[in-house]
Amino acid sequence: MIQFTVKRYLNICLISGLMAFGFLPSPAMLMDESLITIETMHTALVYRVEDSEVNCYYFGESLQDYEVFRSVTTPAKGPLISSARGQNFNEPALRVTHHDGVLSTELTYIKHETKAVSPGVRQTIITLKDKVYAFWVEVSFTAWFNEDIISMSTRLLNREPGPVQLFDYASGYLPLYAGKYFLTSFHGEWYSEMNLQEEELTRGIKILDSRHGTRSTHKLSPAFILSLDRPATETTGHLVAGTIAWSGNWSLTFEKQVSEVVHCLGGINSEGSEWELAPGGSFQTPRFLFTYSAAGKGRASRYFHRWARKYALMQGERLRPTLLNNWEGTYFDFDERKIEEIIRDGSEIGVEMFVLDDGWFGSRYPRDNDRAGLGDWTVNRKKLPGGIGHLIEQTHARGMKFGIWIEPEMVNPKSELYERHPEWVLQEPTRDRYRQRNQYVLDMGNPSVQDFVFGITDHLLTEYPAIAYIKWDANSHFSNVGSTVLPTERQSYVNIAYTQGLYHVLDRIRAKYPEVMMQVCASGGGRVDYGALPYFHEFWTSDDTDALQRIFIQWGTSHFFPAIAMAAHVSATPGHLTHRVLPIKFRFDVAMTGRLGMELQPGQMSEEEKAFSNMALKTYREIVRPVVQLGDLYRLVSPYEHNIASLMYVSTDRRRAVLFAYHHHFRFGDMFDNIRPQGLDPTARYKIRDINTIDPERQKWSEHSYTGEFLMKHGFRVVSSWGSTDDPLAIGLFGEYTSEVVELQQVD
Ligand code: GLA
């Protein structure tokens, strides 16, 4: 403390002396420069420049006045960016070896500037430089004021006389301060994505990461919620929620010190990704996105959803069509007649688009299973003699749009492409080539591969401009991390070059085809991240379409990603791998909380199921879709905590809402608390009714209307084992796999 004061005093003397002789700007200017505030409507991040260092003093709810931070004497939480060595003994956000072999980096403040990027969006760039070396770091923040999201990223510039080796180069670093920390993370795999887990952080390091190359969100998602002091609920508690916008290997590190500070850093996973910065070169890290909520997890999710719809999805505020995909209906086993039938039956039940999945291509090596043909993007005329054009005509004739599946980054060894270009796949000269799902991964860092992959989409869309939707899949991770186009000493570039190459191709596609809808898929939900999503309209949430499992998968996914992007399909029963028999209403009621679609052969449904589907698709189009796709989500009853689950969406003007309730595990005699809606206007009156039911009686509006306040405080009574549901404020969940959908509408 004394040391600090004396040092400060000496600095002040030095600064005053320099100012007196005109070497430094005036006190007012200096004061202005000394505080850097990144602010959104409800959140603020405050840095102070002192002794030519930039230190973080505050991250939390926004304040009326930040001037106080010029003089507070409480210690800083940590630096702007923690660099390796020197006095830092914690996990660094930045670790490089300078051109002369020096391992440490000591960053000093040079300048900062803030500018408006667009209405409500401001960017602040803080420039730092090593004390000795011509090594510069630009730390860039973007603050979306109304949406309460902040991003952080760095640009590293080498002006040293020789190359600098980059080892760790996180996009963002946040020093956090609380008594206790509870980390929520999302783990999963194929068929079981985005499961929630929560743990208290103890001293030491906790790392979440991915090393899969592609399919970067299987195993773990690059998303976290860190509750401060006590575990947050949906509506209470302070927390930081963050994610990394990168579709390759990523890592998130939480280091709890001996003191109560937690160092949180995230970005590209540096394992096996050493990068050499040539003199004059620069490296841009991806965005680390985060928000702060003082009112629980639900609010943080809504911040991300609103931001995503406006800024991080293709046409995120435009309603999405319902669709029918043939994959689970046919797998590879189809021909033209079968597809024509599916199109016809789909149009009869009322879907708006048909999507032809895997299996339509390959001539010499037809894609009749997953062992051949991948890479040969010419139509299989044996299966589809009329080609894609004929299917588009059929689809259009029935008033629907047409979409198609591709997996352009991959190749089967049994393909004409691989025969022509074995050098295009990721490989190590001395190792066996590993396959996943019988395929190799093309080297997206190779410019020729990039041209080829762009060409697949370009040819399809040029030849068939009526294609309205592309499902872009990627079904293998990296096993042989090696490239034939990179020199020996740069093989460690492969991971990053791949993702950069992928984004480069997607940039080209979007420049030429801004309108075509695209879905990102990677063996289900293996690429659900905000690096990929700006190119896409939506993601395939999981190959698991079993509605019971989907309650959990969609619950986890909804923490960071909005319903409009979350593709959710009704499939046949019993479930493909779960073998569970589920009622058609339950299947629809679950799928309706995302972008609704179907994935079966409608012709194989019973007449009752067809009639129900017809009604449900109409209900979705006319009532549910605008509220779910563009409204705010409130998670009301967690399936992790109860044998029922409930969630609701409220239109942004709060005039309309739709509430969903499910009974996913039945035990006779279970008692449940009332389901209490959230997000309604407390003073407005709402009428209520059941929807998505065949029974017209049950769809009548309640005779009474209720205030939002009453509904939110009193809630709906759950009737599950016995009792009457005549009361409009009762939700009947009699037995396993029952569900209800309630519409709420303001009365003028
Ligand atoms: C992946 C996708 C599925 C389907 C198949 C086709 O598994 O996740 O939806 O497209 O590939 O092979």
Side-chain angles (χ1 to χ4, degrees), residues 68 71 82 87 152 194 218 272 274 280 335 492 536 581 621:
V68 63
S71 53
S82 70
Q87 291 297 307
M152 188 173 184
M194 292 298 274
H218 272 165
E274 294 80 24
D335 57 18
S492 64
F536 293 90
V581 177
R621 283 195 310 271

Side-chain angles (χ1 to χ4, degrees), residues 327 357-358 405 437 471 473 475 521 523-524 540 543:
W327 177 243
D357 211 281
D358 195 356
W405 178 96
R437 208 194 186 206
K471 174 175 174 181
D473 209 342
N475 284 312
C521 172
S523 311
W540 183 222
D543 274 357

Side-chain angles (χ1 to χ4, degrees), residues 401-473:
K401 294 182 170 156
F402 182 86
I404 197 162
W405 178 96
I406 53 173
E407 191 183 353
E409 300 157 64
M410 308 279 162
V411 61
N412 281 131
K414 204 167 162 192
S415 67
E416 293 182 65
L417 176 66
Y418 188 69
E419 285 173 356
R420 277 200 310 277
H421 289 294
E423 78 286 5
W424 276 7
V425 306
L426 290 179
Q427 56 194 273
E428 298 155 302
T430 53
R431 304 273 178 217
D432 289 343
R433 285 184 202 168
Y434 297 105
R435 294 176 200 172
Q436 156 110 41
R437 208 194 186 206
N438 309 303
Q439 63 199 49
Y440 295 134
V441 181
L442 294 174
D443 176 7
M444 290 295 289
N446 178 340
S448 307
V449 172
Q450 290 170 16
D451 287 344
F452 171 77
V453 170
F454 171 75
I456 297 167
T457 320
D458 193 31
H459 293 151
L460 268 174
L461 294 175
T462 315
E463 198 170 347
Y464 309 107
I467 290 179
Y469 176 103
I470 285 181
K471 174 175 174 181
W472 181 296
D473 209 342

